[in-house]
Amino acid sequence: MAGKIKAILKKLKIGRSLKVRLFIIIFLMGFIPSIFMRVGILENYESRAIDVRISDVQTQLKIIANHLITYNYLQDTSSEVIGAELEQLSNLYNGRVLIINESLKVIKDTYGISEGKTIISEEVIKCMKGINTANHDRVNGFIEITIPIVENISAQNATEDQPEGTEIVRGVMLISVSTDTIVATMEILNRKALILGIIMAICTFAIALVLAQILIRPFDRISRAISEVKEGYTDEPISVPDYLETEHIVDAFNSLIARMKALDDSRQEFVANVSHELKTPITSVKVLADSLLAQQDVPAELYHEFMEDIAQEIEREDKIINDLLALVKLDKSAAELNISVVNINELTEIILKRLRPIARKNNVEVTLISRREILAEVDEVKMSLILTNLVENAIKYNREQGKVEVTLDADHQFFTVQVSDTGIGIPEESLNQIYERFYRVDKSHSREIGGTGLGLAITRNAVLLHRGSIKAESVEGEGTTFVVKIPLSRVLI
């Protein structure tokens, strides 16, 4: 049955509601202590009432015990005064009083049942030795009390064996006191406590309901604000500073919104840039073609010159499209990496050998510094792309008689590729934008050397696919240094 209820609650998602959980916690925090308080008060009252009853009865018994010695009641039970006191005590506490002499015989029973009989019990024996006893029988509803009847030896009765002041137990008073009045009072208190408990439970229920509603209100505001953002009514940051928890949730959501907005702006800018970059070569080709068509008897030299320009624009268009395709491939998951153990030193030497003709053409010196042999688990094609783009940029954006220095190093976890040049440098305010697609620091110079503005974006994506990092430092007019850091093994990723 409990399993079915649990399954139903799970299906209704009630148990997962924070409001319901807060309500239950607050309700139990108010209800459970009231139950313990009620039980504790009742038990404490009963214990206290029993102790008071025992104390009162013992006081009365001690007085009567002294009278029994005074009136010599243990030898002569005809005293009406003692009889009246015993009857009064019996009626007062709705109990039964037994007077037992030294021979353990009952000489007086207020019920008149056991007179003349011998009574032997542990309590009576203890009391004959001067030890008072008091036992509460909760089941049968009475208290059994024993008091020794003690005689003090006077000077007239003193002997060598029993000097003056000696206390001798002459008998025992045994009384059974009813606890009906205590039980009745307990029942009244229990009923009142039950009524009070019900009232407290209702109040606790109402308070828990209100508090749960109040405490959950900030989360409701967050939910409504998120819904408004989702529906497109607003894109403003959310602010719910009621709790630290709501602040953390709101900060995370605002960061997500800012990230999504940045991605959306980036996507729109990228589309605009792609459209512009693809349209420019096509426009140039169209202008050149229209110019040829508009002229009659075009000289072969001019025709040849125009066709060279058209071929360059087509080549530029092809390069842009290829770079865009490379970016699309790099944007896919790292699962598509073709990982193998690659000798980075050898790979770098091959790439530099391929790029040195371009460097010689620009009068740029390219050198390689290998501090140690590096074997790394990387995608060889994408690693080649990283090295090629960085070194080719260092050559193209260098000055006459400039230098490019490629430094390879590694520690026990990562290897680094540092590409330094003595070129035109990058302004400090542009360092954070150089990885953006189609971004160019010097657009006129980039157009001259055939840049598309996608090289560093491609490089950065390839580095990130290897779970690496790329950083740039530059001084305008002095040169630029790129540092790529990549894990040696895929296990470290």
Side-chain angles (χ1 to χ4, degrees), residues 139-342:
V139 177
N140 296 310
F142 68 88
I143 306 170
E144 189 177 77
I145 304 171
T146 60
I147 289 290
I149 303 171
V150 180
E151 178 184 0
N152 288 319
I153 301 300
S154 63
Q156 297 176 351
N157 298 325
T159 62
E160 291 182 2
D161 295 334
Q162 296 177 345
E164 183 182 356
T166 303
E167 294 183 348
I168 300 175
V169 178
R170 298 300 187 185
V172 174
M173 290 188 68
L174 173 64
I175 183 171
S176 297
V177 179
S178 173
T179 57
D180 289 346
T181 55
I182 296 176
V183 172
T185 305
M186 286 280 294
E187 290 178 353
I188 294 171
L189 289 176
N190 191 38
R191 285 196 295 272
K192 290 183 178 180
L194 181 62
I195 294 172
L196 184 61
I198 293 172
I199 294 173
M200 289 182 64
I202 295 172
C203 293
T204 304
F205 182 90
I207 292 171
L209 197 63
V210 172
L211 284 178
Q213 183 67 33
I214 293 173
L215 292 173
I216 207 68
R217 197 169 292 163
F219 295 96
D220 291 336
R221 290 208 301 273
I222 292 175
S223 179
R224 288 196 297 271
I226 292 174
S227 296
E228 289 180 0
V229 173
K230 183 182 69 174
E231 296 297 332
Y233 299 135
T234 180
D235 58 356
E236 295 297 321
I238 301 172
S239 177
V240 184
D242 298 62
Y243 310 132
L244 286 175
E245 290 77 11
T246 57
E247 281 189 358
H248 293 160
I249 294 172
V250 165
D251 289 344
F253 182 75
N254 288 338
S255 298
L256 177 62
I257 290 296
R259 175 63 177 160
M260 291 176 64
K261 189 175 181 181
L263 288 174
D264 188 56
D265 292 343
S266 176
R267 183 169 56 251
Q268 292 180 9
E269 183 180 359
F270 177 69
V271 171
N273 288 336
V274 168
S275 301
H276 173 74
E277 294 294 333
L278 292 177
K279 185 178 180 181
T280 301
I282 293 175
T283 302
S284 298
V285 170
K286 187 175 186 305
V287 169
L288 291 169
D290 288 343
S291 298
L292 286 175
L293 292 174
Q295 298 182 41
Q296 298 291 333
D297 301 324
V298 179
E301 294 82 6
L302 182 61
Y303 187 85
H304 183 72
E305 180 183 347
F306 274 41
M307 291 305 295
E308 282 184 351
D309 291 340
I310 290 173
Q312 287 178 1
E313 293 298 329
I314 292 173
E315 184 179 353
R316 183 176 161 213
E317 184 92 5
D318 181 64
K319 188 172 182 180
I320 293 173
I321 292 172
N322 288 334
D323 283 351
L324 286 172
L325 291 174
L327 270 176
V328 171
K329 291 179 181 178
L330 288 173
D331 281 340
K332 294 182 180 179
S333 66
E336 296 185 9
L337 288 175
N338 185 19
I339 300 298
S340 61
V341 178
V342 178

Side-chain angles (χ1 to χ4, degrees), residues 111-122:
Y111 280 12
I113 298 174
S114 301
E115 291 179 357
K117 294 181 180 180
T118 300
I119 183 169
I120 299 175
S121 68
E122 183 180 354

Side-chain angles (χ1 to χ4, degrees), residues 364-381:
V364 175
E365 180 185 352
V366 179
T367 58
L368 172 63
I369 301 174
S370 296
R371 302 194 184 279
R372 57 181 48 82
E373 186 178 12
I374 302 171
L375 296 176
E377 296 178 5
V378 295
D379 185 314
E380 186 173 358
V381 174

